[in-house]
Amino acid sequence: VTQAAVLVRDERLVAYVVGQNTGDLRDHAAQALPAYMVPSAFVTLDGLPLTANGKLDRKALPDPDFDTTTTAEHRAPRTPQEEILCALFADVLGVTRVGIDDSFFDLGGHSLLATRLVSRIRSSLGTELPVRVLFETPTVAALAGRLSQAETAREPLSPQARPGHVPLSSAQQGQWFLQKLEGPNATYNIPIALRLSGGLDTGALRAALGDLSARHESLRTLVEDTPTGARQVVQDQTAPVLSVVDTTEDALAGELGTAAARPFDLTRDLPLRATVFRTAPDEHVLLLVLHHIAADEGSFAPLARDLTAAYAARCAEQAPDWAPLPVQYADYTLWQQTLLGDENDDTSVAARQLAHWRETLADLPLELAREHQCTPFMVVQAALAVLLHRLGAGTDIPIGTPVAGRTDDALDDLIGFFVNTLVLRTDLTGDPSFSELLTRVRETDLAAYAHQDIPFE
C-alpha cells in the first residue's frame, strides 16, 4: 500500500487506502496482524483528501460501512437460537446483518452494549447469561453453545400491584438521604439547554410537556416522609409549569445559570422545570432542569424522543400517538425489592451478591483492550490504578464507578434514576506487567458486573 490512513471512527479502526482491492488487503491483514490490530472496515479511495497545508483532511473522509466488515463467508444461522441471536446482535449493534462467526466486540460492542444484549437475550430466550459469558464467547455460534448451560431467566420486570406505600428505589434513597442531610441544593440538578430557531408555539410546547409528564410517572412524583420510611407519591396528571422569559443574548448565559442552579424541594417541587428564554421573535432557548432523583443520563434519549413527538403532535392540534410504556418507575422499584429479596436469606439475590462484595472488598486499605479481551474502560481503569500506585497509593486500589443499572430491556425507553455504583478493586501486588494487570482487572470487573444489582448503599 503506497497511500493509506488508519484512523479510529466510532471506537473502531478504519483503514482508508488508495487504489487497492480491499478484500485482498483484509485477508492479508488478518494473516499478518494480531486480531486487535486488524481494521474493522477498509475504504478504497482514489486519493487521500488533503487540507490546504498538505495534511490529511479527516473531515473529508467518507463514513465507513461497518456492515461489510463481517467474515467473507458470513455463515448463516443453523438453528432457531442462532437466528434469534443474530437478530439481537444486529439490533443492539445497529448493523444490518450479523453472521454466526462475527464477534460482538469486533463489530463495535462495548460493556454498556454487552449489558443491553444480555438483557435482550434474557427477554427473548428466557435464559440468564452473565456478561462474562459474552466476553468469553463473543460470536453467535459460540454463545449459542452456552445457552444450554445457562440458568433460567429471573422474573422479568412487569407492571406491579401498587400498595398504599410505594418505597423509594435504592438509587432514590441515596438522593433523599443527601437532601435530608444537606437541605435542598443544586448539586444534583441536571440542566439541558436547547437553542430553538424559528417560530415557537409555546402553547403546543406547554401541552407537550404535559404529555411527557403524563407518560412518565417519575416526572410527577414527590417524596413524602412517613414513620415507616420515605415513599413515592405520584401526582395525578400534574404537568410542569412552563415559564417564558424575555431576555437578551448578552444576558442569556447568566439567566440560564441562575435558573439551572435553583434547587428543588423534593417534597413539594415536581422534579422537572421548564423555562423558555426569548432573545428575539424567532430565537429561543428551552431550558429543562431535572433532579437526579427522577432521571439519569440514560433518560435523555427517551425524554428527547417523547418531547419531540408530543410537540409535533400538538403543533398539528393532535395528541401524541404513542404505544403505552410497558412499566413505570414505581413498578421498577417494587420489582427491584422482589428481585433482591431478604439479605438474611442465604438463597436470595441480595445475599449472594452481598457475599461477593464482602469477599471482594475484605481488608480494604482499580489498543490493549482487544488483545486482552478487555474493554477500553478496563484499560483506562488499569492505567489509573498504576498512576495512583506510582503516586503512593499502595498496591490495593479501589476505584468507584457508576453503572447504568438498566438491566431489563423494559427500562430502555423509561425516564428514571437507575444508576448504581460498583467498587472495582485493583490488585497491583507482585509488580505485575501491564498485561498481567489487565487480566486481573478483567476478572474483577466481570465479577462486578455479575453482581451489580445489589444497591451500593
PDB file of all heavy atoms in Angstrom, residues 242-255:
ATOM      1  N   LEU A 242     -44.470  25.816  32.537  1.00  0.00           N
ATOM      2  CA  LEU A 242     -43.569  26.373  31.526  1.00  0.00           C
ATOM      3  C   LEU A 242     -43.543  27.889  31.687  1.00  0.00           C
ATOM      4  O   LEU A 242     -44.560  28.565  31.486  1.00  0.00           O
ATOM      5  CB  LEU A 242     -44.029  26.004  30.119  1.00  0.00           C
ATOM      6  CG  LEU A 242     -43.223  26.633  28.973  1.00  0.00           C
ATOM      7  CD1 LEU A 242     -41.786  26.121  28.990  1.00  0.00           C
ATOM      8  CD2 LEU A 242     -43.874  26.352  27.620  1.00  0.00           C
ATOM      9  N   SER A 243     -42.388  28.417  32.054  1.00  0.00           N
ATOM     10  CA  SER A 243     -42.219  29.859  32.188  1.00  0.00           C
ATOM     11  C   SER A 243     -41.592  30.409  30.912  1.00  0.00           C
ATOM     12  O   SER A 243     -40.741  29.753  30.303  1.00  0.00           O
ATOM     13  CB  SER A 243     -41.325  30.186  33.389  1.00  0.00           C
ATOM     14  OG  SER A 243     -41.862  29.635  34.577  1.00  0.00           O
ATOM     15  N   VAL A 244     -42.007  31.621  30.512  1.00  0.00           N
ATOM     16  CA  VAL A 244     -41.434  32.292  29.345  1.00  0.00           C
ATOM     17  C   VAL A 244     -40.817  33.603  29.812  1.00  0.00           C
ATOM     18  O   VAL A 244     -41.483  34.426  30.454  1.00  0.00           O
ATOM     19  CB  VAL A 244     -42.498  32.565  28.271  1.00  0.00           C
ATOM     20  CG1 VAL A 244     -41.873  33.262  27.069  1.00  0.00           C
ATOM     21  CG2 VAL A 244     -43.172  31.249  27.845  1.00  0.00           C
ATOM     22  N   VAL A 245     -39.521  33.775  29.525  1.00  0.00           N
ATOM     23  CA  VAL A 245     -38.766  34.939  29.995  1.00  0.00           C
ATOM     24  C   VAL A 245     -38.171  35.657  28.793  1.00  0.00           C
ATOM     25  O   VAL A 245     -37.481  35.039  27.970  1.00  0.00           O
ATOM     26  CB  VAL A 245     -37.639  34.509  30.966  1.00  0.00           C
ATOM     27  CG1 VAL A 245     -36.810  35.719  31.383  1.00  0.00           C
ATOM     28  CG2 VAL A 245     -38.227  33.789  32.182  1.00  0.00           C
ATOM     29  N   ASP A 246     -38.428  36.956  28.679  1.00  0.00           N
ATOM     30  CA  ASP A 246     -37.791  37.773  27.651  1.00  0.00           C
ATOM     31  C   ASP A 246     -36.436  38.238  28.153  1.00  0.00           C
ATOM     32  O   ASP A 246     -36.318  38.754  29.276  1.00  0.00           O
ATOM     33  CB  ASP A 246     -38.667  38.986  27.307  1.00  0.00           C
ATOM     34  CG  ASP A 246     -39.897  38.591  26.515  1.00  0.00           C
ATOM     35  OD1 ASP A 246     -39.741  37.852  25.522  1.00  0.00           O
ATOM     36  OD2 ASP A 246     -41.012  38.996  26.890  1.00  0.00           O
ATOM     37  N   THR A 247     -35.417  38.072  27.327  1.00  0.00           N
ATOM     38  CA  THR A 247     -34.068  38.452  27.729  1.00  0.00           C
ATOM     39  C   THR A 247     -33.277  38.857  26.496  1.00  0.00           C
ATOM     40  O   THR A 247     -33.821  38.943  25.384  1.00  0.00           O
ATOM     41  CB  THR A 247     -33.380  37.290  28.473  1.00  0.00           C
ATOM     42  OG1 THR A 247     -32.115  37.729  28.997  1.00  0.00           O
ATOM     43  CG2 THR A 247     -33.169  36.093  27.558  1.00  0.00           C
ATOM     44  N   THR A 248     -31.995  39.132  26.683  1.00  0.00           N
ATOM     45  CA  THR A 248     -31.112  39.470  25.571  1.00  0.00           C
ATOM     46  C   THR A 248     -30.039  38.407  25.449  1.00  0.00           C
ATOM     47  O   THR A 248     -29.787  37.640  26.383  1.00  0.00           O
ATOM     48  CB  THR A 248     -30.445  40.832  25.794  1.00  0.00           C
ATOM     49  OG1 THR A 248     -29.587  40.747  26.951  1.00  0.00           O
ATOM     50  CG2 THR A 248     -31.497  41.920  26.004  1.00  0.00           C
ATOM     51  N   GLU A 249     -29.372  38.380  24.297  1.00  0.00           N
ATOM     52  CA  GLU A 249     -28.301  37.403  24.090  1.00  0.00           C
ATOM     53  C   GLU A 249     -27.175  37.615  25.089  1.00  0.00           C
ATOM     54  O   GLU A 249     -26.570  36.654  25.574  1.00  0.00           O
ATOM     55  CB  GLU A 249     -27.792  37.497  22.659  1.00  0.00           C
ATOM     56  CG  GLU A 249     -26.927  36.338  22.217  1.00  0.00           C
ATOM     57  CD  GLU A 249     -27.693  35.015  22.146  1.00  0.00           C
ATOM     58  OE1 GLU A 249     -28.870  35.024  21.745  1.00  0.00           O
ATOM     59  OE2 GLU A 249     -27.090  33.978  22.509  1.00  0.00           O
ATOM     60  N   ASP A 250     -26.894  38.885  25.410  1.00  0.00           N
ATOM     61  CA  ASP A 250     -25.814  39.178  26.360  1.00  0.00           C
ATOM     62  C   ASP A 250     -26.144  38.681  27.761  1.00  0.00           C
ATOM     63  O   ASP A 250     -25.245  38.251  28.504  1.00  0.00           O
ATOM     64  CB  ASP A 250     -25.553  40.688  26.399  1.00  0.00           C
ATOM     65  CG  ASP A 250     -24.922  41.206  25.112  1.00  0.00           C
ATOM     66  OD1 ASP A 250     -24.359  40.376  24.369  1.00  0.00           O
ATOM     67  OD2 ASP A 250     -25.019  42.417  24.848  1.00  0.00           O
ATOM     68  N   ALA A 251     -27.412  38.751  28.141  1.00  0.00           N
ATOM     69  CA  ALA A 251     -27.794  38.354  29.497  1.00  0.00           C
ATOM     70  C   ALA A 251     -28.152  36.874  29.603  1.00  0.00           C
ATOM     71  O   ALA A 251     -28.371  36.363  30.707  1.00  0.00           O
ATOM     72  CB  ALA A 251     -28.980  39.201  29.962  1.00  0.00           C
ATOM     73  N   LEU A 252     -28.204  36.183  28.457  1.00  0.00           N
ATOM     74  CA  LEU A 252     -28.721  34.815  28.421  1.00  0.00           C
ATOM     75  C   LEU A 252     -27.928  33.867  29.308  1.00  0.00           C
ATOM     76  O   LEU A 252     -28.503  33.101  30.092  1.00  0.00           O
ATOM     77  CB  LEU A 252     -28.741  34.309  26.984  1.00  0.00           C
ATOM     78  CG  LEU A 252     -29.229  32.876  26.771  1.00  0.00           C
ATOM     79  CD1 LEU A 252     -30.673  32.727  27.243  1.00  0.00           C
ATOM     80  CD2 LEU A 252     -29.100  32.467  25.304  1.00  0.00           C
ATOM     81  N   ALA A 253     -26.603  33.884  29.213  1.00  0.00           N
ATOM     82  CA  ALA A 253     -25.783  32.936  29.970  1.00  0.00           C
ATOM     83  C   ALA A 253     -26.029  33.060  31.470  1.00  0.00           C
ATOM     84  O   ALA A 253     -26.176  32.055  32.185  1.00  0.00           O
ATOM     85  CB  ALA A 253     -24.300  33.138  29.647  1.00  0.00           C
ATOM     86  N   GLY A 254     -26.090  34.283  31.955  1.00  0.00           N
ATOM     87  CA  GLY A 254     -26.336  34.485  33.378  1.00  0.00           C
ATOM     88  C   GLY A 254     -27.705  33.998  33.805  1.00  0.00           C
ATOM     89  O   GLY A 254     -27.869  33.384  34.868  1.00  0.00           O
ATOM     90  N   GLU A 255     -28.721  34.277  32.963  1.00  0.00           N
ATOM     91  CA  GLU A 255     -30.074  33.834  33.297  1.00  0.00           C
ATOM     92  C   GLU A 255     -30.173  32.310  33.298  1.00  0.00           C
ATOM     93  O   GLU A 255     -30.833  31.711  34.153  1.00  0.00           O
ATOM     94  CB  GLU A 255     -31.050  34.426  32.275  1.00  0.00           C
ATOM     95  CG  GLU A 255     -31.064  35.950  32.256  1.00  0.00           C
ATOM     96  CD  GLU A 255     -32.459  36.490  32.534  1.00  0.00           C
ATOM     97  OE1 GLU A 255     -33.238  35.802  33.203  1.00  0.00           O
ATOM     98  OE2 GLU A 255     -32.729  37.594  32.080  1.00  0.00           O
TER      99      GLU A 255
END
